[in-house]
Amino acid sequence: MIRFPINAIPDKIRETIYDIREHTQAPVELISSSVISAMSMASQSIVDVKINETVTTPASLFLLVIANSGERKTTVDRMVLKPFYRHDACWL
């Protein structure tokens, strides 16, 4: 079985992932996907990808997480996305 490459993640982000794991007891792989997804969402308005001469698109990721019930998917997503929820609440 191939192990998740947590050491490939930059130090500060890895520390954040470990902090979330300490609070939630969720798997590192699950937390990492939420963190990477949030980073993608945060950069969409400032980073564009030029696919070819005529097509430019926002930097986007499409992630799918398959996990059992009780793996803390919602808990992790709420924790990781809390700054986004606060930002959105300011605009309501």
Side-chain angles (χ1 to χ4, degrees):
M1 184 171 168
I2 298 172
R3 293 185 181 262
F4 183 76
I6 189 69
N7 291 330
I9 296 175
D11 292 342
K12 291 289 184 183
I13 299 168
R14 189 175 339 120
E15 289 172 20
T16 301
I17 291 167
Y18 287 148
D19 286 346
I20 295 169
R21 182 183 65 178
E22 186 176 317
H23 285 50
T24 65
Q25 303 303 309
V28 167
E29 298 85 354
L30 178 85
I31 299 166
S32 298
S33 69
S34 289
V35 169
I36 291 168
S37 177
M39 292 167 48
S40 172
M41 189 164 46
S43 67
Q44 280 184 337
S45 66
I46 56 175
V47 177
D48 286 332
V49 177
K50 187 173 183 179
I51 296 174
N52 58 36
E53 293 302 317
T54 59
V55 179
T56 302
T57 182
S60 300
L61 292 177
F62 298 95
L63 300 173
L64 172 67
V65 173
I66 299 173
N68 293 325
S69 178
E71 292 273 356
R72 310 247 190 255
K73 298 178 294 291
T74 302
T75 302
V76 168
D77 273 345
R78 285 184 181 151
M79 184 177 283
V80 170
L81 298 176
K82 191 173 186 177
F84 294 90
Y85 297 142
R86 273 195 247 141
H87 177 270
D88 288 350
C90 290
W91 293 96
L92 294 179

